[in-house]
Amino acid sequence: MSSGLPRTLDQYLRAVRARELSPEEYLTEARGLIERNDPQVRAFLLLRLDAAQSDAQQADVSSPLAGAPIAVKDNIMMAGERCTCGSRILEHYVAPYSATVVRSLLAAGAVIHGKTNCDEFAMGSSTENSAFFPTHNPADLTRVPGGSSGGSTAAVAAGFALGAIGSDTGGSVRQPAAFCGVVGFKPTYGLVSRYGLVAFGSSLDCIGPMTRSVRDAAILMNVMAVHDPRDATSVSRPRVDFEAALQPTLAGKRVGIIRELQGLDVQPEIATAMNMAREAAVKSGASIVEVSLPHILSALPSYYIIAPAECSSNLGRFDGVRYGLHEDGRDMTETYSRTRDAGFGTEVKRRILIGAFVLSAGYYDAYYKKATDVRQLITDELDAAFRSADVLLTPTTPTTAFKLGAVTDPLEMYKADVFTIPANLAGVPAISFPSGKDATGLPIGLQLMGPRWRDADLLSCANVLFTALGGES
Ligand code: GLN
């Protein structure tokens, strides 16, 4: 953004409330950036800038989000707008209703000006699995923004939006946040309604905010965390003010380091960033404790059985009859197979096949059952670790953003999720925050995980570390 304009949502809200800036003026600036730079970045699958301009004109500046432009991942529905999930099968599908989170954002005065690119049905770590085009990392256009919420992250990093919404099934909010140098927060499972999010792995899927600061994530969580009877897994909890809960220090906090992750190969600058974060934590009054999670390295294989199993079941609904693409066949079976063959991309087909295999009668116990047993072990181990640590610190990713087209082996791509997946399996909250740059200037992200329902405390700890390491308060 050009000088004088607010960089964060918090700064925007202050400026608008002080009548130094109008939502319309801000959107005009963001629009200029989008028009100049999105042809290179390609964050958006759909832009509704004219509609957004009139929404901004009518925005209530005393509302919680005061006309701030927020981008929404294209697997989350906004009534009357296309919702493609980055897939050919839904290329022309128009959402018949809005997701609860979209309704909450609009009710709080946000302006939704675009739907963002993503890996097809949120399966991937680079946004290269979008059926339409890859998104480029604004920090280096030759590199991926991460995924699957790569469009949302790139939009925030490029100044196209003051915040964005993504979905995180195995790291899709946190990993791209790390790659693009923004904050990505995956709340406790059940804190933000999944109603209107197109399901991938229903027991893992969470909607979370992506922002330029931790405080901004707290501001959005104040709007997004509402109990919703339309989502049976949404939990009714006493309301928390996530922003008011931000504390200035880590006094008395125990920051845990996970023994079993120590030996993992990470880029040297990421290891250095971890050390700097440890030092910053101690300086701010925390103590460092080591915890052991004996099964944590089995999280990855467990996830890559459970997530495909759930996806093969969830994606069964795309049969060419009720939604989206329809390819005629001689009979029902041929209609299904022609539709699904034409509509789904390679990675989605791979996941459906794996999922159907691990759920099949002869293999259920050997794969699916075993994976869910491992999931329970990891969940129990994490719960135990949170008795001796308030938060756990890890890198978000083993490397910084890789070049577009560089990772072609699916297993290599899956391995990048080693740090993010445990939080999804256990349903605990986790956040990625920027923590410096590597030798080539690419952003590094570190992750903090916290106990279930301690989201406000987790955001507070992350805010202290993020600001201590140079982020905006
Ligand atoms: N990269 C992981 C996968 O491909 C996570 C995706 C996600 O969180 N939606 O499954």
Side-chain angles (χ1 to χ4, degrees):
M1 288 256 128
S2 56
S3 63
L5 273 175
R7 274 196 38 79
T8 64
L9 175 59
D10 176 50
Q11 290 165 6
Y12 166 89
L13 292 173
R14 285 169 200 275
V16 168
R17 286 176 190 146
R19 303 288 194 272
E20 293 159 12
L21 178 71
S22 76
E24 242 193 305
E25 278 166 355
Y26 187 84
L27 189 65
T28 304
E29 292 293 333
R31 183 178 189 149
L33 281 175
I34 292 169
E35 282 164 358
R36 278 198 300 285
N37 300 333
D38 200 45
Q40 292 80 48
V41 175
R42 310 217 73 185
F44 289 100
L45 285 172
L46 177 140
L47 279 162
R48 51 188 304 280
L49 291 170
D50 291 335
Q53 204 82 42
S54 85
D55 294 346
Q57 205 176 359
Q58 288 158 35
D60 173 4
V61 295
S62 63
S63 63
L65 297 177
I70 305 290
V72 173
K73 184 176 180 178
D74 205 29
N75 62 350
I76 298 170
M77 299 207 283
M78 178 176 189
E81 301 293 350
R82 263 183 302 124
C83 184
T84 71
C85 297
S87 182
R88 289 275 169 222
I89 211 159
L90 291 179
E91 188 171 1
H92 304 293
Y93 177 70
V94 175
Y97 63 90
S98 286
T100 298
V101 73
V102 164
R103 291 166 63 125
S104 302
L105 288 167
L106 293 174
V111 168
I112 295 176
H113 60 321
K115 301 290 299 292
T116 56
N117 197 16
C118 56
D119 286 302
E120 186 174 4
F121 288 105
M123 295 170 203
S125 308
S126 67
T127 315
E128 293 166 300
N129 292 340
S130 165
F132 304 109
F133 45 79
T135 297
H136 298 241
N137 190 324
D140 175 347
L141 293 171
T142 67
R143 291 177 189 267
V144 302
S148 63
S149 315
S152 281
T153 340
V156 175
F160 302 160
L162 277 168
I165 304 304
S167 65
D168 189 313
T169 304
S172 278
V173 160
R174 291 161 286 155
Q175 184 259 17
F179 276 12
C180 291
V182 305
V183 170
F185 178 53
K186 181 204 96 68
T188 298
Y189 183 84
L191 183 58
V192 174
S193 169
R194 290 181 295 112
Y195 183 73
L197 164 70
V198 179
F200 161 13
S202 304
S203 76
L204 304 154
D205 296 341
C206 289
I207 293 179
M210 315 173 92
T211 51
R212 297 216 195 99
S213 73
V214 178
R215 178 177 295 277
D216 286 0
I219 293 172
L220 287 182
M221 281 304 292
N222 276 350
V223 171
M224 296 164 64
V226 285
H227 171 57
D228 180 11
R230 286 172 164 147
D231 170 1
T233 60
S234 165
V235 178
S236 173
R237 306 272 306 175
R239 263 198 91 65
V240 176
D241 184 333
F242 295 93
E243 191 187 4
L246 298 176
Q247 300 295 315
T249 72
L250 293 179
K253 297 287 182 203
R254 299 158 303 170
V255 175
I257 303 290
I258 302 169
R259 184 180 308 149
E260 289 76 10
L261 298 182
Q262 304 290 42
L264 288 189
D265 212 12
V266 299
Q267 202 175 306
E269 298 100 318
I270 296 180
T272 308
M274 277 289 288
N275 289 335
M276 284 170 64
R278 281 172 72 146
E279 281 167 26
V282 171
K283 242 193 191 152
S284 181
S287 54
I288 305 290
V289 295
E290 191 179 77
V291 301
S292 173
L293 295 160
H295 289 88
I296 195 159
L297 292 175
S298 300
L300 198 68
S302 160
Y303 170 88
Y304 277 100
I305 290 172
I306 294 170
E310 294 188 11
C311 118
S312 76
S313 162
N314 273 325
L315 270 54
R317 73 193 58 171
F318 302 107
D319 54 8
V321 180
R322 287 167 298 176
Y323 310 94
L325 188 75
H326 171 89
E327 292 282 338
D328 258 337
R330 275 170 311 201
D331 53 25
M332 195 66 136
T333 309
E334 198 183 274
T335 300
Y336 288 162
S337 72
R338 289 188 57 179
T339 300
R340 289 164 71 83
D341 186 36
F344 290 138
T346 309
E347 182 61 24
V348 171
K349 285 177 183 159
R350 179 181 295 121
R351 305 269 181 124
I352 292 173
L353 287 173
I354 295 172
F357 176 76
V358 300
L359 289 173
S360 59
Y363 295 97
Y364 185 92
D365 286 351
Y367 292 104
Y368 184 72
K369 169 78 169 55
K370 196 181 234 174
T372 56
D373 288 348
V374 169
R375 178 181 193 173
Q376 190 58 52
L377 279 174
I378 293 167
T379 304
D380 294 344
E381 287 172 9
L382 267 168
D383 288 347
F386 287 126
R387 286 195 277 278
S388 48
D390 297 292
V391 290
L392 300 176
L393 176 68
T394 75
T396 308
T397 54
T399 67
T400 53
F402 44 87
K403 293 261 185 200
L404 282 148
V407 180
T408 48
D409 174 3
L411 287 180
E412 280 307 309
M413 196 70 98
Y414 299 170
K415 280 193 209 156
D417 301 331
V418 61
F419 296 117
T420 50
I421 278 172
N424 298 83
L425 290 178
V428 302
I431 184 166
S432 177
F433 56 94
S435 183
K437 304 264 168 75
D438 74 3
T440 54
L442 292 168
I444 292 171
L446 296 181
Q447 173 179 249
L448 280 183
M449 289 186 267
R452 228 164 280 120
W453 307 116
R454 302 296 300 275
D455 300 67
D457 194 40
L458 178 65
L459 284 164
S460 177
C461 293
N463 188 45
V464 173
L465 286 183
F466 171 65
T467 51
L469 297 165
E472 307 210 34
S473 70

